[in-house]
Amino acid sequence: MYERILVPTDGSKVAQAAVDQAIDIAEKYGAEVHALFVADVDAVAYGLGTEQVDRIKQGNFQGMTDLREDAQEATDYVTERAEAADLTAVERHAGGRPHDVIADYTADNDIDLIVMGSHGRSGIRRALLGSVTERTLRSTHVPVLVVDYVED
């Protein structure tokens, strides 16, 4: 049923909860797990020049140590969890409008299921879902499993 599962991640606790769900499903189906970190260019563009924004859109975070480290840490978490479950993992870093990048990645890689957190690292939460999650639901026809994180 599921051959490729996408986990968009920003490294937040809710994203890590989504990883746990994705790994559980992937184990049942022997699915490949894709970890995608998207730098939101709308959020970072104000302090950067056009050249830097273009590099971010290409997934090149060279010279942006904090962003590169955040991206690597977030996707490494997914890969480590997948490999511990004897699953294949694919990591990708990109830049753009997150919901657009997620939808494009989904289409380009024949993703069968998206598993993502209900809201991201920003901590700003809409009444029900984070804006990226809500927009992703509207931007793709692939099933989306939305996971919330509840602290113990």
Side-chain angles (χ1 to χ4, degrees), residues 2-75:
Y2 301 116
E3 293 180 24
R4 284 168 293 285
I5 298 173
L6 174 62
V7 184
T9 182
D10 61 2
S12 64
K13 293 283 187 194
V14 72
Q16 291 178 352
V19 172
D20 293 341
Q21 291 290 321
I23 297 301
D24 187 53
I25 295 167
E27 281 183 296
K28 287 177 175 58
Y29 292 98
E32 184 176 75
V33 178
H34 291 244
L36 176 64
F37 178 95
V38 182
D40 186 347
V41 293
D42 291 340
V44 299
Y46 291 109
L48 301 175
T50 306
E51 185 177 311
Q52 285 178 307
V53 170
D54 287 342
R55 279 202 328 250
I56 290 171
K57 285 181 181 178
Q58 296 170 11
N60 178 359
F61 304 154
Q62 193 113 6
M64 294 166 251
T65 305
D66 290 343
L67 183 58
R68 187 177 67 244
E69 288 174 359
D70 288 348
Q72 198 61 57
E73 186 177 316
T75 58

Side-chain angles (χ1 to χ4, degrees), residues 47-143:
L48 301 175
T50 306
E51 185 177 311
Q52 285 178 307
V53 170
D54 287 342
R55 279 202 328 250
I56 290 171
K57 285 181 181 178
Q58 296 170 11
N60 178 359
F61 304 154
Q62 193 113 6
M64 294 166 251
T65 305
D66 290 343
L67 183 58
R68 187 177 67 244
E69 288 174 359
D70 288 348
Q72 198 61 57
E73 186 177 316
T75 58
D76 281 352
Y77 180 82
V78 179
T79 297
E80 289 166 7
R81 297 287 315 222
E83 289 176 352
D86 289 326
L87 299 168
T88 301
V90 176
E91 290 185 39
R92 173 84 167 99
H93 303 154
R97 297 176 68 200
H99 67 282
D100 289 335
V101 175
I102 293 166
D104 290 346
Y105 187 92
T106 298
D108 293 345
N109 293 279
D110 295 321
I111 298 297
D112 304 304
L113 175 67
I114 301 169
V115 181
M116 63 189 302
S118 59
H119 59 283
R121 186 180 290 267
S122 68
I124 299 171
R125 195 168 172 183
R126 290 186 167 216
L128 229 38
L129 298 175
S131 61
V132 171
T133 304
E134 183 178 341
R135 289 180 181 140
T136 299
L137 287 166
R138 295 178 189 189
S139 300
T140 184
H141 297 291
V142 171

